[in-house]
Amino acid sequence: MLAGQPRVRLSKDAGKTYPQKHERALTEALPALPAAVRIFGKDGTCAAIFLDFDSAVAGTDWVQADVRAVQAWLHRCGARWIEDYSPNGGRHVYIPLAERVTFSEARDLVEALGTRYRTLDKTPHQNILHGCMRTPGSPHKHGGHQQLAMSLSMAYDVARRPNSISIWSAMNDDLASEIAAVRALRLEQTYMPTAVDAPGVQYFAGRMSRAMQQMARTGLYDANRYASDSEARQAIVAGAAAAGMELVEVERRILQGSWPGLASFYARYTSRHRIPALRRDWTNAIRYLSRNKEARNGKNNARISPTSQPNTQPQGIEGNPISSNPDAEHRFIRTWRNALHLKEHAYADSRTGLARRMVLRSLGEAAHKTASRFVEFGARSIAVATGLDHTTVGSHLRALRSEKDPLVTLVEEGRGTKGDLYMLTVPEEVKTAAEDLTWRKGKIHALRPVFRELGLPAAFVYETLEHSPGLATADVVRITRLSRTAVSEALDVMAAWNMIVRNKQRAWSVVPTTSLKELAEHFGVLEAVAEQLQKYKNDRILWREWLSKNVNTVAELLSPGEDYPWETFEGPPDEWALTDLAFTRAS
């Protein structure tokens, strides 16, 4: 009754964090782990104000004083509230509302209260995506539970008969000066773009700029640039139209909760008038863009996506006649995939073993893309494909090629802007078995973006169910060679997000209608990918500059008896390794 939407997040590290991947449907069953409900709904509005008084700020005595002051203030406004307390002395005050309020309105009120009360934690109402709070009944990290400070019947009555809109207005009127102060503070503060808002980096999803994408997801914007929510929402809609998106795509993201920030900007309309208002904004955006010469000529920067993935290698490697036949190469790569499946038992289910399995999959995917067993993608491109750091990828590649009977062989070390050249190799010990096995159907994938959030075990479990649907948990454990605990947790997490489903025979299958790309966008994983791409782009620029100054220089001819100036041409500094700094044209 208090939650903004029927979702709850569980903490599996004793209440330290409540990650999005452990989000579940909110049911009547009491959770066994610390649990926090979502404050904001898919439409960017909340059904209650959550006030969290933290005893870690100034002690329990200060918390009690602040709570008593808030209670007196609520009483003056005619409001009713629910209160509970934590075993560590913290307290929560919940103010149920008869009419849901927008993210901006709720944030203004809580921030204004924060200027009055020192121990009030404002952060739950400052994040539309991850704002959540433990409610009465939740287990606590210090033992015990979050307990009501009143009778259950009284708390239920308050939740059943929430505060009217007139009481909400009275609360805002009483805090008018504080609300004006916090809004003025936002205008005075210098807007510092985060890594997510870095200029020049575009979002792959919908080819929309990351700044606009972030506004649509979080509802946060530069108050100096946009005077109100209305102007911010029009900018988002115009950005989506300029990026080539369709109106139906924007509507779907609003209704499914992928863009709760944009949805909150329309919350001032009644539910039946929100979509018509969006369509009016869309029409205005199209009219504006039609008058813009650059957009009409297709030169708008929003249409340029540096995260696209062009072919990173020609169809044939010079001097290598084998790669001139793409069909033969694809057959070889599929045989290599059989060999990979046969040899995976050699890699333990440790973090290192799982990472090396994923690096090998990324090489297989790269080989299929280029129709060649020879791969020259570079450590940074593989790092993006696997979600690892490029230095970690370099160490895994060195370990893989140094094995007794390796699956990959180093053909040529990287030089200049070219990466190391690797060749997929079918080990002799499994060659006969790999050739006799039937080729596995479907594509081979590196780490798809959504599994950066859900983890490597979930990626291997999902891959197994893609190729062999209808498996029991024991069969998944046997095929993936993961521990039963890791498999069970991965199945549980993916089932919560409707990625997989269990039938009456207790067999698991993939849900084909659930889009992994949309889930990745919902988790905000694409931001991490874009940030990694931008970092590597900067690294490559620095490396090219170093090469132009120190390598691409023709030394003057020396007269007999002169010493060669080694200090000038001795090569890159120790912290730059060719393997780690290999370039490709891949994103």
Side-chain angles (χ1 to χ4, degrees), residues 428-443:
E428 289 295 332
E429 61 178 335
V430 296
K431 185 173 184 179
T432 302
E435 291 174 346
D436 292 341
L437 280 178
T438 304
W439 289 334
R440 304 191 77 186
K441 295 181 180 179
K443 299 179 180 179

Side-chain angles (χ1 to χ4, degrees), residues 6-284:
R7 303 286 291 178
V8 62
R9 293 188 181 180
L10 304 180
S11 175
K12 297 194 176 183
D13 54 5
K16 295 180 181 178
T17 60
Y18 294 84
Q20 191 173 13
K21 68 178 181 179
H22 292 152
E23 190 172 298
R24 302 287 189 276
L26 182 59
T27 64
E28 296 182 358
L30 184 68
L33 301 170
V37 301
R38 292 282 300 274
I39 294 178
F40 295 98
K42 293 180 178 180
D43 59 351
T45 64
C46 59
I49 299 298
F50 292 67
L51 303 181
D52 179 13
F53 295 90
D54 191 354
S55 61
V57 175
T60 57
D61 291 340
W62 206 306
V63 166
Q64 292 177 2
D66 282 351
V67 170
R68 283 195 294 268
V70 167
Q71 290 173 343
W73 172 72
L74 291 172
H75 181 72
R76 290 196 305 272
C77 295
R80 309 171 75 215
W81 67 90
I82 299 170
E83 182 187 350
D84 68 6
Y85 59 90
S86 306
N88 66 345
R91 286 182 176 267
H92 296 166
V93 174
Y94 312 90
I95 310 171
L97 303 173
E99 294 187 16
R100 300 174 71 99
V101 297
T102 66
F103 166 68
S104 299
E105 294 171 333
R107 181 185 58 171
D108 285 345
L109 184 133
V110 173
E111 288 182 350
L113 283 174
T115 63
R116 291 185 177 182
Y117 308 110
R118 177 182 178 184
T119 60
L120 177 60
D121 183 7
K122 305 179 288 293
T123 55
H125 274 278
Q126 291 175 324
N127 195 315
I128 198 172
L129 294 171
H130 304 293
C132 55
M133 187 177 292
R134 294 188 315 275
T135 49
S138 167
H140 195 271
K141 61 183 178 181
H142 294 299
H145 294 77
Q146 200 78 20
Q147 295 188 13
L148 282 168
M150 57 181 66
S151 67
L152 178 61
S153 58
M154 182 181 295
Y156 177 70
D157 181 68
V158 174
R160 188 174 59 87
R161 295 188 295 137
N163 297 287
S164 64
I165 187 64
S166 61
I167 295 177
W168 170 254
S169 299
M171 294 164 59
N172 279 271
D173 292 342
D174 191 77
L175 290 171
S177 59
E178 287 90 344
I179 291 175
V182 296
R183 288 176 178 171
L185 180 62
R186 292 193 204 119
L187 290 173
E188 293 175 3
Q189 290 175 335
T190 303
Y191 184 69
M192 297 296 293
T194 62
V196 171
D197 299 322
V201 182
Q202 308 273 331
Y203 226 107
F204 181 74
R207 298 174 296 173
M208 193 174 175
S209 72
R210 294 174 62 204
M212 289 298 173
Q213 189 87 354
Q214 184 75 351
M215 284 170 54
R217 295 181 66 246
T218 65
L220 300 174
Y221 55 86
D222 184 0
N224 289 296
R225 186 172 184 181
Y226 306 107
S228 65
D229 291 357
S230 298
E231 292 186 11
R233 86 179 188 217
Q234 187 64 60
I236 296 171
V237 173
M245 297 179 67
E246 299 292 339
L247 174 60
V248 66
E249 296 181 79
V250 179
E251 291 179 355
R252 176 175 54 78
R253 282 170 167 78
I254 288 179
L255 296 176
Q256 293 182 351
S258 297
W259 285 359
L262 179 58
S264 70
F265 296 154
Y266 289 96
R268 69 185 185 90
Y269 299 100
T270 59
S271 57
R272 64 190 182 92
H273 289 143
R274 291 173 187 172
I275 296 301
L278 169 64
R279 292 172 180 169
R280 287 196 300 271
D281 288 346
W282 184 266
T283 301
N284 293 334

Side-chain angles (χ1 to χ4, degrees), residues 47 127 207 252 265 290 301 303 371 382 418 457 474 505 523:
N127 195 315
R207 298 174 296 173
R252 176 175 54 78
F265 296 154
S290 66
N301 288 336
R303 295 183 178 273
I382 297 174
K418 292 186 176 295
Q505 289 74 35
F523 287 147

